[in-house]
Amino acid sequence: MSFSQLGLKDALVKAVEKKGYTTPSPIQEKAIPVILDRRDIMASAQTGTGKTAGFVLPILQILSETKLTKKRQIRSLILTPTRELAAQIYENVKAYATNLDIKATVIFGGVNANPQIATLRNGIDILIATPGRLLDLHGQRALSLAHVEILVLDEADRMLDMGFLRDIKRVLNVLPPKRQNLLFSATFSYEIKQLAGGILTNPVLVEATPENTTAELVIQKFIRTDKSEKPALVIKMISEGDWQQVLIFTRTKHGANKLSERLGKSGISSAAIHGNKTQNARTKALDGFKKGDVRVLVATDIAARGLDIPLLPHVINFELPNVPEDYVHRIGRTGRAGASGEAISIVSEDEVEFVTGIEKLLGYKFDMDVIAGFEPIRPPEKADLTPKGRQNSRFSVQDRGLNQKRPDNKNRNNARGFFGKAK
């Protein structure tokens, strides 16, 4: 299957090929024809599956085939939860629209609104926005949504998690009732289904990955240690493994800052990214990380949602999330688009129950390793998580269902062999 066989025009196919893509991903193959057919869609897709192109490409084609008015009006609104994701979608729109007469812009909070207002007044076809800044500028009458033909809610589950439901409803109230609606979510929770029921009309259900499953070819490791030993263990892993690009998750903003400072003092270049950072600081940290100037990015869940970091090899859960679904989102930063990756979770005694929740969600039992020199003082009390005969936690997720690839136990990395001999 090629992009042209999906019904895309030559101008878009050439733009896609320029970015190095020749074969559509499963979500693109399923979603693009449906969107071109002007149907509403409810799509379940993990990040890293190519979902952005899955809706951007058909939107560009639809808008390019419509006769332009004298003054450009916003004809497509793409609503997304975070500034970083909004900026990344905008970059994709620009890249794919390079051969088309389509104008787009992005608006989000944390930066001066005046340049955004000036761009809007010159007229655009596609607007990518976060809910807060969109409603702010709409309230100032700096933009009109009266001509929107296509609405996209991207990462809808995260928007609900972040408390944007009321804002989403306010946006819906000012949109034309007759429009095409595209809803993308990593999970189909009860709340998402309720939201979709009030927005979508006879939607086509598209699933690129099963609900609440992990990314393809992610090797997952769980390591037990004491909470006080976590920073030293992280430094050991990164230093001895000579890892050059690592994304680390913490539960709190303060924890992200503290760990980033500790890494810096150990000679490992690091930056923290979270909601208290200014947009300029977040953008600078992310750019440095992508370019290799920053070796480690320490992030909270909200700040990291939607980050597009190609070929990220390592993700570390410095602290496990207390919501199992967030574990899936976290490790989805690596192993993207069929590439292999590694996700390591460092588990202290108070987090053992979180591992149990993750295992229940994924329907799989994980090994619990111990690193020489970092053995926990007290063993886990709730359950023995390392029974004999348990398999390695490497598996691949196919288009539907969980297909576990289990190598022979003899080839499984043990605790000492993974990091080498303890010093």
Side-chain angles (χ1 to χ4, degrees):
M1 177 70 71
S2 66
F3 283 97
S4 59
Q5 288 176 305
L6 295 179
L8 295 174
K9 58 171 58 179
D10 288 343
L12 288 169
V13 174
K14 288 178 181 178
V16 171
E17 290 175 346
K18 188 175 181 180
K19 290 199 70 175
Y21 304 122
T22 56
T23 305
S25 68
I27 187 64
Q28 293 162 0
E29 190 173 322
K30 294 177 181 180
I32 289 174
V34 173
I35 298 172
L36 288 176
D37 200 32
R38 303 310 302 267
R39 296 286 304 276
D40 282 10
I41 195 171
M42 182 174 178
S44 172
Q46 303 290 343
T47 53
T49 58
K51 66 181 174 68
T52 300
F55 61 77
V56 167
L57 290 171
I59 287 174
L60 288 171
Q61 175 142 322
I62 290 169
L63 297 187
S64 68
E65 292 174 343
T66 306
K67 188 176 180 180
L68 294 173
T69 58
K70 188 173 183 180
K71 177 175 171 54
R72 292 178 188 262
Q73 306 283 357
I74 299 171
R75 292 184 290 155
S76 180
L77 171 64
I78 302 173
L79 208 58
T80 189
T82 67
R83 308 164 187 174
E84 286 76 20
L85 183 55
Q88 288 164 15
I89 293 173
Y90 174 57
E91 292 302 320
N92 275 273
V93 171
K94 286 198 302 181
Y96 294 133
T98 185
N99 301 317
L100 300 174
D101 184 20
I102 296 290
K103 290 186 177 181
T105 195
V106 59
I107 60 173
F108 46 72
V111 295
N112 190 338
N114 290 331
Q116 298 176 355
I117 293 173
T119 303
L120 289 166
R121 285 176 176 166
N122 289 331
I124 58 163
D125 303 292
I126 300 174
L127 177 63
I128 305 101
T130 53
R133 179 53 60 93
L134 176 69
L135 289 170
D136 180 26
L137 296 190
H138 185 269
Q140 297 181 41
R141 297 186 178 180
L143 60 87
S144 170
L145 300 175
H147 300 275
V148 170
E149 302 168 26
I150 306 172
L151 168 68
V152 180
L153 294 181
D154 191 24
E155 303 219 349
D157 52 337
R158 179 55 60 175
M159 280 198 274
L160 297 190
D161 289 345
M162 294 172 65
F164 285 135
L165 178 58
R166 181 177 295 180
D167 287 346
I168 291 172
K169 290 181 176 179
R170 289 176 61 193
V171 172
L172 294 173
N173 286 336
V174 297
L175 292 175
K178 187 178 180 180
R179 62 181 187 272
Q180 185 178 11
N181 302 286
L182 317 175
L183 186 150
F184 286 77
S185 176
T187 62
F188 284 162
S189 65
Y190 173 75
E191 291 78 13
I192 286 295
K193 290 173 182 176
Q194 271 198 320
L195 176 64
I199 299 175
L200 307 178
T201 302
N202 298 321
V204 176
L205 180 64
V206 172
E207 294 181 87
T209 54
E211 285 187 55
N212 297 329
T213 55
T214 46
E216 293 185 357
L217 297 178
V218 178
I219 300 173
Q220 300 172 79
K221 290 184 171 70
F222 288 76
I223 300 172
R224 277 278 287 125
T225 193
D226 291 319
K227 184 179 292 187
S228 61
E229 295 294 332
K230 286 188 177 187
L233 179 54
V234 167
I235 291 168
K236 174 185 174 68
M237 287 191 291
I238 295 172
S239 299
E240 293 189 5
D242 194 27
W243 296 348
Q244 297 302 312
Q245 194 178 45
V246 187
L247 177 60
I248 300 179
F249 284 96
T250 62
R251 276 202 293 266
T252 67
K253 302 168 189 175
H254 173 71
N257 288 335
K258 190 175 179 181
L259 180 58
S260 181
E261 291 172 6
R262 176 77 179 269
L263 290 167
K265 289 177 181 178
S266 299
I268 299 172
S269 58
S270 173
I273 180 171
H274 52 68
N276 281 357
K277 296 283 186 178
T278 66
Q279 183 58 38
N280 288 336
R282 291 163 71 167
T283 301
K284 183 179 179 181
L286 183 57
D287 287 345
F289 186 62
K290 287 183 175 181
K291 293 176 182 176
D293 299 330
V294 174
R295 193 169 168 184
V296 178
L297 192 66
V298 187
T300 56
D301 287 297
I302 289 177
R305 184 64 181 263
L307 292 183
D308 183 13
I309 305 165
L311 303 179
L312 176 64
H314 305 286
V315 167
I316 296 177
N317 288 307
F318 183 78
E319 296 164 317
L320 281 174
N322 53 12
V323 178
E325 287 81 3
D326 284 343
Y327 171 82
V328 176
H329 298 316
R330 285 183 177 190
I331 74 167
R333 303 299 98 206
T334 187
R336 294 164 69 91
S340 61
E342 186 172 56
I344 298 173
S345 299
I346 304 175
V347 185
S348 55
E349 184 181 0
D350 60 321
E351 296 174 307
V352 171
E353 62 182 293
F354 298 154
V355 179
T356 304
I358 292 166
E359 290 177 331
K360 287 180 179 178
L361 177 71
L362 298 179
Y364 192 79
K365 293 290 184 180
F366 294 103
D367 287 325
M368 188 70 74
D369 290 331
V370 175
I371 304 302
F374 293 88
E375 298 89 346
I377 296 174
R378 294 176 60 189
E381 298 175 355
K382 295 200 174 186
D384 179 11
L385 295 175
T386 55
K388 291 182 179 180
R390 183 162 294 175
Q391 303 294 329
N392 184 20
S393 52
R394 176 173 184 162
F395 57 84
S396 172
V397 175
Q398 302 302 321
D399 193 40
R400 286 180 184 271
L402 195 62
N403 178 26
Q404 299 174 1
K405 295 182 178 179
R406 299 181 176 182
D408 191 280
N409 275 346
K410 293 180 181 179
N411 297 323
R412 182 167 59 85
N413 290 316
N414 57 37
R416 291 178 182 271
F418 179 58
F419 297 112
K421 294 181 180 179
K423 294 183 178 179

